[in-house]
Amino acid sequence: MLEALPEKGVPGEQILAELSELRSADLPTHGGRLFAYVYDPALDGLDELARQAHAISAHVNGLDPTAFPSLLAMENALVGAAARLLNGDGGTVGSVTSGGTESLILAVKAARDSRPELATPRLVVPSTAHAAFAKAAHYLRVALDVVPVGADLRADPAATRQMIGEDTVLVAASAPSYAHGVVDPIPELAAIAAERGVRFHVDACFGGWVLPYLRRLGADLPAFDLAVPGVTSISVDLHKYAYAPKGVSVLLHRDEALRLPQYFAYAGWPGYTMINPIVSSTRSGGPIAAALATLRHIGDAGYLELAARTRDAVATLAEAVNQTDGIRLFAPPETSVVCLAAEGVDLFVLADELAARGWHTQPQMAYGEMPATIHLTVTAAVAGTATDFAPDLAEAVAAARSKGPADLPAPLLEAAAALTPELVTPELIAGLAEGLGLGGGDFTRMAAVNSLLNVAPPALREALLTGFLSLLQRPAANGRQDQAAAAPNSVTE
Ligand SMILES: *Cc1c(COP(=O)(O)O)cnc(C)c1O
């Protein structure tokens, strides 16, 4: 068991060895074979630089920029760089946040609080918009109006126009969407929002640091940023294609008046007057310093080069999908995502077979008319591994074909068919986890689990996965053995 508060302090060297051992159980964050969660430029020395920059500012507190002008300078520099990259002008302002979700929550908050007279403010998004918009709507009690996308997987301007009402405070779309990597028709959508006097946010959290370079390299992609009239705000995650360590995103507003309702200010207590532009109050300067170091080290020319490698890797992977019977591209590989669907082989078994060959992909469940798909986030590091993908993909498809769909025990299927979210209890989750072989912390063969989740209605899937995470997320001291079993031996006492 990993003991966070030992009776007596432990020597630093031992702790670092334990942490490395723990980390060895994780998916590899480098090496160009993990297609989700991590963004790797495969640049020698970059990790070390970011680590040192992080250490210099880790204890600096962003709560009060007058006390720590270093952080203010770094934040303004990051916002300025994002504004230039995304075609802002002298009036563009912004904030550095902890991530895409926070940037979106704040874009929605600013829009909501710009219309305090509304009893039920509303947010209009395409069905492919990131789940973080649903989270923002939920946290902020804003109603969410979801507009189905067209057959081309893009936001539908005419249907969006229909959905905008008197209470709409914000319309948003993606450049590109996370699930499929396609760019919504931002100019058309922004014009419609502007016509109605409604704010329009571009969620470029995923691709905002790679799209401008892909366009410079000649990619046929529409304008998507502050150059487009009607775009009032845009978000870009530096911990994605800017290749900074986790914990940094930028939210830009076209002008200061648009940003003002994003702030929270409170003087009604005996302590310091709290003025927060973002969700957290105390915050570390570490991620911000690491992001600044990353941007300055790579530089504009470096990002152009990384985008070229990413583009080439996408082309190689997409070609591999096209050349393989039994799978097809589900979305045009126009940015940095390859999204594939299966035809005649089980998609979830295929994902397991790819994982068994060292390629870690992200299965996406069926949604509405859309089938389940496999998502590949492609970063520059994949340029070094892309040509190895095709043979392994062909093998994995062949293996999936010969294995057929995952076997689910009949009693489990029967129980699942009768299940509703209200019936999901901690005991049921524990039993299911045991029955599906997840008790020991081995998540390498997930086809059975994914098949089950794929046929579960969304509300049931939410309840099941919430219950499962809640099962995992508790200290072993609560008297459970299985957590300890999942930890590496060397840190087990
Ligand atoms: C990643 C992502 C988000 C959410 O960002 P986090 O940093 O994970 O909070 C929002 N929108 C899009 C399009 C994304 O790709």
Side-chain angles (χ1 to χ4, degrees):
M1 188 185 79
L2 181 62
E3 181 62 84
L5 185 62
E7 180 70 32
K8 275 203 194 117
V10 170
E13 249 171 60
Q14 181 189 332
I15 297 166
L16 295 178
E18 290 166 356
L19 290 179
S20 298
E21 172 69 19
L22 270 178
R23 282 281 287 106
S24 69
D26 295 345
L27 291 178
T29 56
H30 289 294
R33 295 168 80 88
L34 170 53
F35 293 105
Y37 311 118
V38 300
Y39 297 77
D40 181 9
L43 293 177
D44 284 344
L46 187 66
D47 273 10
E48 188 50 33
L49 171 69
R51 202 173 3 251
Q52 290 184 24
H54 191 290
I56 289 173
S57 296
H59 291 281
V60 167
N61 192 344
L63 174 61
D64 182 353
T66 65
F68 302 103
S70 70
L71 202 52
L72 182 63
M74 289 190 285
E75 286 196 70
N76 282 338
L78 290 176
V79 168
R84 271 191 304 285
L85 187 65
L86 299 173
N87 286 306
D89 58 24
T92 307
V93 293
S95 302
V96 178
T97 74
S98 65
T101 300
E102 186 177 5
S103 289
L104 297 185
I105 288 173
L106 290 169
V108 175
K109 182 214 181 292
R112 182 197 69 175
D113 289 355
S114 72
R115 304 279 306 279
E117 75 284 4
L118 296 179
T120 307
R122 310 190 73 91
L123 164 64
V124 173
V125 295
S127 53
T128 49
H130 196 279
F133 282 111
K135 181 172 175 178
H138 178 77
Y139 275 24
L140 296 166
R141 288 187 182 270
V142 168
L144 186 66
D145 293 320
V146 177
V147 183
V149 294
D152 60 358
L153 306 172
R154 293 173 215 276
D156 176 342
T160 302
R161 182 195 300 275
Q162 291 290 313
M163 192 65 95
I164 298 173
E166 292 298 309
D167 294 344
T168 302
V169 295
L170 183 68
V171 177
S174 319
S177 62
Y178 177 81
H180 307 128
V182 301
V183 183
D184 285 328
I186 301 299
E188 290 82 345
L189 294 162
I192 289 165
E195 209 176 279
R196 301 290 300 268
V198 176
R199 290 180 181 225
F200 182 76
H201 181 80
V202 177
D203 178 6
C205 284
F206 181 74
W209 217 268
V210 68
L211 283 193
Y213 295 103
L214 293 175
R215 293 183 80 214
R216 258 193 242 172
L217 290 165
D220 182 20
L221 294 165
F224 72 96
D225 57 21
L226 289 164
V228 178
V231 170
T232 53
S233 58
I234 184 167
S235 49
V236 54
D237 292 350
L238 303 189
H239 60 209
K240 288 180 181 161
Y241 284 95
Y243 297 112
K246 301 293 180 235
V248 192
S249 170
V250 173
L251 169 62
L252 298 175
H253 294 274
R254 184 176 288 282
D255 61 45
E256 191 174 8
L258 288 162
R259 181 178 65 172
L260 265 183
Q262 180 191 313
Y263 283 77
F264 175 80
Y266 194 72
W269 73 307
Y272 56 88
T273 300
M274 195 166 84
I275 311 291
N276 291 157
I278 61 166
V279 174
S280 40
S281 194
T282 285
R283 68 161 155 166
S284 171
I288 293 167
L292 185 89
T294 303
L295 262 63
R296 278 185 60 73
H297 190 61
I298 295 177
D300 195 56
Y303 283 113
L304 188 66
E305 171 66 32
L306 291 172
R309 280 185 224 162
T310 302
R311 174 201 59 189
D312 295 348
V314 166
T316 304
L317 298 181
E319 180 62 13
V321 173
N322 276 330
Q323 295 300 322
T324 309
D325 280 343
I327 52 174
R328 67 185 167 93
L329 287 174
F330 182 70
E334 65 188 32
T335 59
S336 56
V337 171
V338 173
C339 180
L340 59 100
E343 281 167 338
V345 299
D346 187 278
L347 184 93
F348 301 118
V349 174
L350 172 60
D352 281 355
E353 290 301 325
L354 283 169
R357 288 163 180 78
W359 302 95
H360 303 282
T361 63
Q362 190 168 51
Q364 302 182 135
M365 303 292 151
Y367 170 83
E369 308 277 281
M370 298 175 197
T373 53
I374 286 178
H375 166 110
L376 311 181
T377 287
V378 182
T379 58
V382 181
T385 57
T387 51
D388 300 337
F389 187 65
D392 283 347
L393 179 65
E395 256 187 53
V397 169
R401 185 175 280 123
S402 74
K403 286 193 172 161
D407 264 342
L408 283 169
L412 202 66
L413 272 178
E414 273 163 39
L419 213 51
T420 60
E422 303 72 46
L423 296 174
V424 176
T425 60
E427 294 71 34
L428 180 132
I429 292 289
L432 263 181
E434 209 47 53
L436 289 164
L438 298 175
D442 176 7
F443 307 127
T444 50
R445 289 278 164 185
M446 295 299 284
V449 176
N450 283 331
S451 304
L452 201 64
L453 291 171
N454 190 47
V455 295
L460 178 59
R461 197 192 309 155
E462 290 161 8
L464 289 170
L465 286 174
T466 300
F468 182 61
L469 277 190
S470 180
L471 180 74
L472 292 181
Q473 292 172 329
R474 64 177 91 177
N478 278 4
R480 286 156 19 94
Q481 298 301 311
D482 41 346
Q483 285 248 327
N489 287 333
S490 69
V491 289
T492 304
E493 295 218 347

